[in-house]
Amino acid sequence: MASGSIDFTIGSRRLLSVGRDLATWSFSLEQLLAPEARFDPPAPGRDGLRVLSAPQGGIEAIAACFPHHLAGGRQDYRRHYIAMAGRSFDDYLNRFSAKTRSTLRRKSRKLAKEAGDYAVTEHRTEQEVAAFIDAALPLSTRTYQARLLDAGLPDTPEARTALLELAKADRIRCFLLKLGDTPIAYLSLPVEGKTLIYAHLGYDPDYARLSPGTVLQLEALERLFAEERFAWFDFTEGEGAHKEMFGTDSVDCASFLLLAPTAANRALLGARSTFDGAISTAKALAERSGALSRVRSALRG
């Protein structure tokens, strides 16, 4: 059964969710990179669909599949990914400037110096992934991803079974960053074809200033490049400084809603449009204020 919610967010903070019966139409990275995108729409929920990470050039064709639905809530962004095929980890690192490479190495040294020697463990077999789940779930409940975004590791018997089934088929890679026996960051990457999916990253907020997520990401990538199995590392929908920094390429995408033309849905899309417009205006004013402040500082200097 379709289900879901329509969220009102500021940055990564969700302020309000309105429940709706929605199907999800999501595009994989391999679909986006295919020379000719093929649209195979799902059956809509009672209230319509949530379309995720659609190619911007195909939005009209997608909407035409549901001509009687109302389109709204559109968010444009770059879907970042790492092109891994034919590249080594050293090749990947060399795309960064010398300054950035130095900064990344310094983060690892700083974590070791201030928190103690750390270790990164990799989990791919069924037994290893079961141990990963047991270690990562208590940490996940403390992360901002779980507390603010409802995006922590799913803690249900069904989710556990799904992860273990992926492990049986060698279709998942999981990593833990530990201080002694204590995990302070985790990364979960299901595998679809030749693509690693950036599903869950979380870290202990007590260590946030030491960038454990960045340290873990880099160490995991070194091991993943060494496998020489994967063509892409997909950071999925949405922007983010972490995704932009680690990504090598991007695709212009959009996520939006296609809702049944009921009075309630019209009102909801109107409220969402007003909210998004207010956020965009506030952001533009903040950016303008920051620019003016920088100009004043330069003039005073």
Side-chain angles (χ1 to χ4, degrees):
M1 177 182 293
S3 63
S5 63
I6 296 173
D7 297 334
F8 291 68
T9 63
I10 298 178
S12 60
R13 185 181 295 271
R14 184 176 56 222
L15 301 182
L16 174 68
S17 290
V18 180
R20 282 294 186 271
D21 184 44
L22 303 171
T24 298
W25 187 359
S26 181
F27 290 78
S28 71
L29 179 64
E30 293 190 31
Q31 285 178 302
L32 293 171
L33 296 179
E36 296 181 3
R38 297 174 57 185
F39 302 131
D40 186 17
R46 186 177 64 250
D47 288 301
L49 303 96
R50 174 188 289 108
V51 182
L52 298 178
S53 206
Q56 288 188 11
I59 290 176
E60 289 187 8
I62 292 168
C65 296
F66 299 91
H68 303 297
H69 282 62
L70 306 170
R74 176 171 166 173
Q75 295 179 320
D76 294 337
Y77 52 87
R78 292 173 298 158
R79 180 166 173 169
H80 296 280
Y81 65 95
I82 301 171
M84 302 178 72
R87 294 180 177 178
S88 68
F89 182 66
D90 287 340
D91 293 334
Y92 173 71
L93 283 184
N94 286 335
R95 66 173 291 275
F96 295 107
S97 68
K99 180 179 179 181
T100 300
R101 291 197 300 271
S102 176
T103 298
L104 291 172
R105 287 192 291 267
R106 189 165 59 248
K107 289 181 184 295
S108 298
R109 292 195 299 269
K110 183 176 181 181
L111 177 63
K113 179 180 179 180
E114 298 193 25
D117 289 338
Y118 65 85
V120 172
T121 57
E122 181 176 352
H123 306 255
R124 62 168 74 178
T125 68
E126 185 178 4
Q127 183 176 3
E128 290 169 349
V129 171
F132 167 84
I133 296 169
D134 292 340
L137 276 177
L139 171 59
S140 176
T141 61
R142 301 185 58 234
T143 66
Y144 89 90
Q145 289 89 348
R147 291 185 291 106
L148 300 181
L149 306 179
D150 194 26
L153 280 174
D155 187 9
T156 65
E158 294 78 12
R160 184 185 185 94
T161 297
L163 290 178
L164 295 180
E165 288 297 322
L166 289 175
K168 285 182 183 179
D170 192 28
R171 291 183 49 222
I172 194 167
R173 298 290 182 270
C174 300
F175 299 87
L176 288 171
L177 190 157
K178 295 181 176 181
L179 295 176
D181 294 328
T182 304
I184 65 168
Y186 62 83
L187 177 62
S188 173
L189 306 167
V191 177
E192 293 183 4
K194 295 183 178 181
T195 304
L196 292 151
I197 308 298
Y198 183 75
H200 295 97
L201 172 72
Y203 53 83
D204 190 327
D206 292 343
Y207 294 91
R209 66 182 184 83
L210 298 177
S211 306
T214 297
V215 173
L216 178 58
Q217 176 80 69
L218 200 62
E219 296 227 8
L221 282 173
E222 182 172 11
R223 302 184 188 196
L224 295 167
F225 270 102
E227 284 195 52
E228 298 183 345
R229 167 181 169 179
F230 307 107
W232 300 284
F233 186 111
D234 179 15
F235 284 105
T236 70
E237 63 270 1
E239 295 268 11
H242 181 91
K243 298 179 179 183
E244 182 174 3
M245 181 179 74
F246 281 103
T248 62
D249 301 88
S250 64
V251 182
D252 291 332
C253 295
S255 293
F256 55 97
L257 301 164
L258 291 170
L259 298 187
T262 65
N265 286 338
R266 289 181 187 275
L268 179 57
L269 284 180
R272 173 67 182 269
S273 178
T274 299
F275 177 84
D276 288 345
I279 296 302
S280 295
T281 299
K283 182 178 179 181
L285 289 173
E287 291 175 349
R288 181 181 178 186
S289 176
L292 289 173
S293 296
R294 289 191 292 272
V295 170
R296 293 190 186 102
S297 295
L299 290 174
R300 284 196 299 268

